[in-house]
Amino acid sequence: MAKTPFYITTAISYVNGSPHLGHAYEAILTDAMARFKRLDGYDVYFLTGTDEHGEKVMKTAADNGISAQGLADKYSGEFQEMTTLLNISHDEFIRTTEPRHYEAAQALWVKLQAKGDIYLDKYEGWYSVREEGYFTEDELVESDDGQKFTPGGAEVEWVEEESYFFRLSNYTQSLIDHIEQNSTFIMPESRKNEILSFLKQEGGLRDLSVSRPKARLPWGIPVPENDLSDKDHVMYVWLDALTNYITALGYPDEGCAAFDKFWPADFHVIGKDITRFHAIYWPAFLMAADITLPKHIFAHGFINVEGAKMSKSVGNVLSPVGMVETYGVDQLRYFLMREISHGQDGNFSHEQAVTRMNADLANGIGNLAQRTLSMIYKNCDGEIPAPNVFKKEDNDLLRTAQSLISSIRGKVNFFGINRALEEIAALVSKADSYVDEQAPWALKKTDPERMKMVLYVLAEVIRCIAISLQFITPEAAGKLLDQLKISQDQRLFEHMTADYALTPGTAIDKPEGVFPRIVDEEPAQATG
């Protein structure tokens, strides 16, 4: 039976700086969903990559005395290294400077232009280099000295220049209708309401500038030359960048196997600061090109550090490299997924991280597994014991463990990953209580057969917990399953049933801890 396809993407990261904790969070969040779906039997395609054109890249490169391509190569390389460091399971890493992306973006341009949705005009207005966008007067905030800023705090400058425009205004009502008819198209609800409010403002949407004169900005994809275009413009970064999601599937060949199989995307996972571009511009481009819209756009929040927004000027920008060195990959992944209510802003502090990692991992599942497997190794001839007489408390715990996935699936499917991890942690606590109540160390002397029964139940619960945790802590969970001698072909969620329960008599090796307690009191160092 063919697997159900599932296509998920991160936003592509801008290459005018090194990766930080926010980038790591988005990559891990998207990876967790991709891994969960693979474990749940889906045929997953997971895309990430880098956005490499635009004025910010050109200016940063000039400030550093290198070419724009050289800067893009440097930082794209760092983002690729980050995905390896964080054990991100992406199927493809796309760069917008690749020839195939030039072809895709130009093909989309030609399609929009042929439909009459792109025209040449002159632009006059406020422009933010940092946010790569134009803003109306009523959107701006003015400081005491008269400097104008975007709602996100970026400086703007007055620009007058010739530009190609996309007839975004034609799609106001179509976008409203689609969002209102598809309640989970934009998530969470707060982001959806913001977009609807913006769309319903008086006058609706304004047409969107989609090019820049090469004389001012040569770094970009050239506007395709045809009877309706000229060679003096490059494509505006958002029309270029957003196209990456279909470039990776073989666009403009909409009949190719990958495009036919995986489009429309199930999820675009993005930061809340770029919701408008993904929830308005991108759907409008697709509508104009007669391409099906993505199913869901999920906008996550920001991560503050010690309660403050990450900022180079404040000096609290955290590097993924330093954080992995301090805490470990799986520990960092677990903390970010467990501690943050996804869709909301989160906070990172060293004390909070150590407390959570030690409580849930070292003292929780790690300690439960080490105690149980050590007792089996020492007291059961190094073999999984045979179960005998099941009591109510045994069945209750096993039932909870073997039904865990059906309980958390609905939460994870809509990015309630922290809530799912709460349930897994609750199962660990329930198993700890079972250990205390049954006291297998005492049963060793008074009732050895009951001791074997208790240890078998605990080992089976650990098997289920380890399978369920693979989407968050893949390395450590894999080691636990290795210690239980679970074959690679029996580690999917469908195997968390009694039909695949542990086989008595299976020899195990001397167990080793998989979640060491963090005793380092030095927090990860900030960069820049």
Side-chain angles (χ1 to χ4, degrees), residues 170-413:
N170 286 356
Y171 295 90
T172 303
Q173 191 58 48
S174 296
L175 288 166
I176 291 172
D177 292 344
H178 184 80
I179 294 168
E180 291 185 337
Q181 292 165 14
N182 297 273
S183 61
T184 59
F185 176 61
I186 303 170
M187 298 185 291
E189 186 83 6
S190 58
R191 301 281 91 81
K192 181 183 80 171
N193 292 338
E194 287 174 7
I195 293 298
L196 280 173
S197 178
F198 184 79
L199 287 167
K200 292 178 178 179
Q201 65 185 324
E202 186 176 354
L205 296 172
R206 300 172 60 198
D207 287 352
L208 176 69
S209 171
V210 289
S211 78
R212 300 289 182 269
K214 280 185 181 178
R216 183 169 73 82
L217 178 61
W219 180 238
I221 297 177
V223 166
E225 296 180 39
N226 55 50
D227 293 341
L228 301 174
S229 297
D230 58 55
K231 61 183 180 181
D232 296 327
H233 290 253
V234 297
M235 294 172 62
Y236 166 59
V237 66
W238 283 107
L239 181 54
D240 159 8
L242 291 164
T243 306
N244 90 92
Y245 302 128
I246 53 177
T247 299
L249 299 182
Y251 188 83
D253 183 3
E254 296 180 47
C256 71
F259 195 94
D260 182 65
K261 182 176 186 178
F262 288 108
W263 190 261
D266 290 87
F267 278 101
H268 291 318
V269 180
I270 61 169
K272 66 178 183 180
D273 56 328
I274 54 175
T275 307
R276 185 184 302 182
F277 307 110
H278 283 77
I280 295 179
Y281 298 176
W282 181 227
F285 295 154
L286 293 171
M287 286 178 177
D290 298 315
I291 298 173
T292 307
L293 271 56
K295 297 175 186 176
H296 307 289
I297 297 165
F298 182 82
H300 62 77
F302 295 148
I303 298 182
N304 297 320
V305 177
E306 304 285 355
K309 183 178 179 180
M310 276 193 290
S311 166
K312 288 184 179 180
S313 60
V314 175
N316 66 345
V317 177
L318 293 178
S319 160
V321 175
M323 300 191 75
V324 168
E325 289 174 349
T326 300
Y327 307 111
V329 176
D330 278 352
Q331 288 87 341
L332 177 62
R333 288 173 60 101
Y334 182 88
F335 173 80
L336 293 175
M337 295 301 98
R338 173 72 167 85
E339 202 70 14
I340 298 172
S341 179
H342 302 304
Q344 306 300 314
D345 288 349
N347 184 64
F348 182 90
S349 74
H350 176 65
E351 180 181 353
Q352 181 185 14
V354 171
T355 298
R356 173 64 70 189
M357 293 170 189
N358 282 340
D360 286 15
L361 299 178
N363 301 337
I365 179 59
N367 185 52
L368 175 67
Q370 184 70 8
R371 291 167 69 192
T372 300
L373 299 184
S374 292
M375 285 198 70
I376 290 174
Y377 186 78
K378 293 177 182 177
N379 302 307
C380 302
D381 299 321
E383 296 179 353
I384 299 296
N388 39 77
V389 180
F390 286 88
K391 294 185 177 181
K392 180 180 183 302
E393 51 267 39
D394 306 329
N395 288 323
D396 286 348
L397 184 58
L398 286 172
R399 192 178 301 112
T400 301
Q402 292 168 348
S403 65
L404 179 63
I405 286 304
S406 62
S407 178
I408 69 175
R409 182 180 285 113
K411 297 177 176 64
V412 177
N413 282 345

Side-chain angles (χ1 to χ4, degrees), residues 412-456:
V412 177
N413 282 345
F414 289 95
F415 283 98
I417 294 175
N418 62 313
R419 301 296 302 277
L421 292 180
E422 286 177 5
E423 286 205 32
I424 296 174
L427 175 57
V428 174
S429 295
K430 187 172 183 178
D432 282 337
S433 297
Y434 175 85
V435 172
D436 293 340
E437 292 164 2
Q438 300 300 318
W441 53 88
L443 291 171
K444 176 184 176 182
K445 298 177 181 178
T446 61
D447 191 347
E449 288 305 304
R450 178 60 187 163
M451 175 199 72
K452 292 177 182 178
M453 182 72 234
V454 168
L455 292 176
Y456 178 85

